[in-house]
Amino acid sequence: MTLHGTATKAMLLRVGHYRRRLAAARFPGVVVLCYHAVRPDAAPAGSYPFEQLHVRASELAAHCELIAGCCTPISLPALRHAVAHGSPLPARPVLFTFDDGYRSVATLAAPILERHGVPAAFFVCSGSIAGRRLLWYDAMARRGAEADVDRVKRAPFEEWQRADAESLTPVDDDDPLAPMTPGDLRSLAVRPLFEIGAHTVSHPILARAGVADQREQIVDCVRALERWTGRPVTSFAYPNGQPGVDYSPDTIAVVREAGIDIAFSTRTGFAGRGAAALEQPRFMMLAGISQSELAHRLAYSWRRLADAQTPTAIERGA
């Protein structure tokens, strides 16, 4: 994005262009936003590994303000019912989701979401919560091996398992990279705007594992979350999430067997009845996406993407 483009989008937001454009729009499906973690505005640049995945609190607040004012925030149950039963949705539905289970989502994101009346789904890895440990890739990054994470992620499953075991790193609850606590999960689960979903035990690339290992990662996560929250867990997000690369038809079968009725990939596109219930697409949200940039994507970029995809292409994940 050029500086000129950034300034132009900020001006278009300021004069109300995006608001007027969106007021007349009808989305071709549900915009599901995929976030990960949130960091305080005061956190210095460069202080987090994989920093693009940690949006600033003010960025999330600006996104919520825009969606609440120009679109209709919806809950995961609303999307689930629309996919399963064809129930009607508003003209511009948007669902917020957060992957991995960072504690910053409970401490920073949840109050922002509630202040703006924005529902959300939180897809959580159970192993780091149970062990009070860093997620394996954050542990690698903290010891200076951030550049090796992608290689380990794509390694054979047995090699990844060894790396995961070797990266066991205890973490205090106030650490910026800490996972949620069971108490955080219980608190979020009883709040009407939120739903807890599963994201595997340890965040492996499921397509690299055999069916038995995939089942252990998925089912054990679901059962742990149900113990902690006292509620059924029927939603799931695939780690990394690219169809045919990060998960397979075997994975989808295991997810279905685990009692999941809606699951999310990271394939870019609009969710809803145009996609399979267990392969709903999402739009990735990274640090640095301003309110005006999100408004532009909602009003123009993402809708052009949908127009370019035929129903056949969407169905096969193009």
Side-chain angles (χ1 to χ4, degrees):
M1 186 195 314
T2 66
L3 289 176
H4 174 74
T6 301
T8 299
K9 290 169 185 174
M11 181 271 293
L12 290 172
L13 179 71
R14 189 168 57 252
V15 301
H17 171 79
Y18 291 126
R19 181 178 293 273
R20 291 189 296 273
R21 174 84 178 184
L22 286 167
R26 175 172 288 276
F27 293 165
V30 179
V31 172
V32 182
L33 303 176
C34 177
Y35 296 87
H36 287 77
V38 182
R39 58 185 151 129
D41 287 348
S47 58
Y48 284 70
F50 311 107
E51 192 156 84
Q52 279 194 306
L53 298 180
H54 298 258
V55 302
R56 293 195 181 276
S58 59
E59 290 174 331
L60 178 63
H63 297 167
C64 289
E65 179 184 55
L66 176 74
I67 298 302
C70 296
C71 302
T72 304
I74 67 167
S75 66
L76 180 51
L79 174 58
R80 176 186 283 115
H81 203 266
V83 170
H85 305 292
S87 55
L89 288 168
R92 295 174 299 282
V94 180
L95 171 62
F96 283 64
T97 68
F98 293 79
D99 286 4
D100 296 350
Y102 286 99
R103 191 155 198 249
S104 65
V105 172
T107 59
L108 294 177
I112 293 170
L113 294 162
E114 289 182 314
R115 187 162 67 246
H116 291 276
V118 173
F122 307 125
F123 298 109
V124 176
C125 292
S126 60
S128 55
I129 293 174
R132 304 315 305 149
R133 53 173 288 199
L134 291 175
L135 288 155
W136 68 269
Y137 40 85
D138 286 332
M140 286 187 64
R142 185 159 282 182
R143 68 170 190 258
E146 183 172 338
D148 293 334
V149 166
D150 196 58
R151 176 189 60 78
V152 172
K153 183 189 297 183
R154 301 296 172 190
F157 187 70
E158 293 74 16
E159 182 178 337
W160 170 82
Q161 282 182 307
R162 289 193 295 273
D164 181 46
E166 290 167 0
S167 61
L168 288 172
T169 304
V171 63
D172 294 331
D173 290 346
D174 59 356
D175 189 291
L177 300 179
M180 293 184 194
T181 67
D184 293 330
L185 285 168
R186 283 191 293 273
S187 174
L188 291 171
V190 299
R191 287 143 85 171
L193 289 177
F194 303 142
E195 179 170 328
I196 305 299
H199 199 43
T200 71
V201 173
S202 306
H203 207 287
I205 300 300
L206 289 165
R208 300 279 174 174
V211 171
D213 287 318
Q214 293 191 54
R215 184 173 290 111
E216 182 177 1
Q217 282 284 331
I218 294 165
V219 173
D220 286 5
C221 179
V222 168
R223 300 301 171 245
L225 296 177
E226 289 178 335
R227 286 196 305 273
W228 291 328
T229 64
R231 294 178 175 234
V233 171
T234 58
S235 58
F236 183 81
Y238 302 96
N240 244 56
Q242 283 300 301
V245 176
D246 301 317
Y247 67 93
S248 68
D250 285 340
T251 315
I252 297 170
V254 172
V255 166
R256 184 178 291 108
E257 292 167 9
I260 302 300
D261 58 18
I262 191 163
F264 295 86
S265 70
T266 56
R267 177 173 66 83
T268 301
F270 286 84
R273 298 200 78 192
L278 297 184
E279 290 189 272
Q280 293 287 302
R282 294 186 286 178
F283 293 97
M284 188 66 68
M285 296 297 293
L286 301 173
I289 296 176
S290 66
Q291 188 180 65
S292 58
E293 175 60 29
L294 178 56
H296 187 84
R297 294 182 187 189
L298 289 163
Y300 292 102
S301 307
W302 289 340
R303 295 178 66 203
R304 283 198 297 266
L305 172 69
D307 291 342
Q309 291 180 319
T310 66
T312 301
I314 292 173
E315 186 64 27
R316 69 169 182 263

